[in-house]
Amino acid sequence: IADFQDVLKEPSIALEKLRELSFSGIPCEGGLRCLCWKILLNYLPLERAAWTSILAKQRELYSQFLREMIIQPGIAKANMGVSREDVTFEDHPLNPSPDSRWNTYFKDNEVLLQIDKDVRRLCPDISFFQRATEYPCLLILDPQNEFETLRKRVEQTTLKSQTVARNRSGVTNMSSPHKNSVPPSLDEYEVLPNGCEAHWEVVERILFIYAKLNPGIAYVQGMNEIVGPLYYTFATDPNSEWKEHAEADTFFCFTNLMAEIRDNFIKSLDDSQCGITYKMEKVYSTLKDKDVELYLKLQEQNIKPQFFAFRWLTLLLSQEFLLPDVIRIWDSLFADDNRFDFLLLVCCAMLILIREQLLEGDFTINMRLLQDYPITDVCQILQKAKELQDSK
């Protein structure tokens, strides 16, 4: 801890030193992990003196996004400084024009329903996301105004969410068996009193705003699994001043992280050099270098990397381990300057560590092992990945 504190109190932070320390795991005491992640994900600059003004500016920008994108179009709110015009044809709900604000509103609802379905079942093994946040968004839950929350908007939307399931590249198995205990139905969630909101609702807002600002990719199933660990880490920061702004900080860190991995979520890029197919094949070519016997066995059984590595890589292993272990893996991933090259080595290490079982097993047994990975000690996996990296 003292080593981290020394690096973090310098007026200009030595990034290489911080990376080296973070790679071996960041202590969660004193909010160190939250701070390190914000630096490693390029949200905070290396100059400490700039932090206060940058945070204030970004958090104000996020409030602006909330004002512009969450408040229902067509309903003007006098105290938001928006005057109510008479409803013109342009603004009429039945106006068929693609540019009409209502058309946008209905299109947004399709995205929102998909996000809603996914965030309600975030990390079912812990109750955190169902609990109320200590810092509900006062801008939206302002008792003086009847602003429409996203949850109300979902409840009022009659679109059937079944029609909008937008899965990534037709792969139905985006979540692993042991992480997906059956989620309670929507009605079984405890309804929080007015003025309160659950953590999953905060995550829903972050994803909705991301989708609005990035229409080229919008929302694809699985992004919820990327934003979950980031938000959990920031929303459990022991420093309440940081914790209060977990939503805005998560949004910007998520946006920066997605800028690096978004190609995994874009189907049309799958077969390009930046796409997911290339990365999956890279896992196998690395395995061939490191353990040719195991590589040949998987080839012989026709076990393609798409069957398991798709999920491992796209979701940064967030579905393969319990949340504290995912967070520990992410310390090393975020700390590595070629972070996603290191992810390929982690995947390779996961295969090599169960090589004896894979060499003995048949197709069915091996698929089960890879779909529901048996080793829970992530430090052992990271250590193996580091050995592979050093033996290049």
Side-chain angles (χ1 to χ4, degrees), residues 208-231:
F208 182 71
I209 288 187
Y210 179 82
K212 289 282 288 170
L213 289 171
N214 296 276
I217 183 171
Y219 171 76
V220 181
Q221 193 177 27
M223 289 181 186
N224 54 317
E225 306 294 352
I226 302 286
V227 78
L230 284 176
Y231 175 73

Side-chain angles (χ1 to χ4, degrees), residues 115-283:
I115 293 173
D116 188 75
K117 206 166 71 177
D118 293 343
V119 293
R120 285 175 185 261
R121 52 182 182 213
L122 252 182
C123 300
D125 42 334
I126 58 168
S127 63
F128 172 79
F129 287 97
Q130 308 310 326
R131 293 205 301 265
T133 166
E134 291 167 63
Y135 300 103
C137 178
L138 298 176
L139 195 67
I140 293 174
L141 298 175
D142 174 359
Q144 304 300 301
N145 293 288
E146 285 293 305
F147 291 143
E148 183 184 51
T149 61
L150 290 182
R151 179 168 42 143
K152 284 210 186 80
R153 183 165 164 178
V154 167
E155 284 161 3
Q156 290 162 6
T157 300
T158 52
L159 267 171
K160 294 283 173 286
S161 51
Q162 282 71 10
T163 59
V164 299
R166 182 178 172 210
N167 202 332
R168 174 64 193 69
S169 98
V171 173
T172 47
N173 194 358
M174 278 296 262
S175 51
S176 86
H178 71 274
K179 289 288 291 267
N180 245 14
S181 49
V182 179
S185 77
L186 301 190
D187 314 336
E188 284 174 45
Y189 282 115
E190 199 182 331
V191 175
L192 298 170
N194 275 350
C196 294
E197 57 182 355
H199 288 294
W200 66 262
E201 296 183 67
V202 181
V203 174
E204 176 164 77
R205 248 196 322 270
I206 293 169
L207 288 167
F208 182 71
I209 288 187
Y210 179 82
K212 289 282 288 170
L213 289 171
N214 296 276
I217 183 171
Y219 171 76
V220 181
Q221 193 177 27
M223 289 181 186
N224 54 317
E225 306 294 352
I226 302 286
V227 78
L230 284 176
Y231 175 73
Y232 174 82
T233 301
F234 296 161
T236 52
D237 192 322
N239 175 344
S240 59
E241 205 177 314
W242 289 90
K243 183 155 73 167
E244 184 177 349
H245 297 286
E247 179 175 352
D249 293 349
T250 302
F251 171 79
F252 289 108
C253 287
F254 172 68
T255 300
N256 291 357
L257 180 55
M258 280 303 296
E260 298 180 40
I261 62 170
R262 58 180 285 161
D263 293 351
N264 295 346
F265 288 93
I266 299 175
K267 195 169 170 12
S268 59
L269 291 177
D270 278 0
D271 297 323
S272 70
Q273 208 164 354
C274 52
I276 189 74
T277 309
Y278 176 77
K279 290 175 189 148
M280 291 190 291
E281 281 163 4
K282 196 101 197 287
V283 172

Side-chain angles (χ1 to χ4, degrees), residues 12-23:
S12 178
I13 285 158
L15 185 58
E16 279 318 303
K17 183 76 185 125
L18 182 67
R19 282 194 161 135
E20 198 183 312
L21 287 172
S22 303
F23 189 83

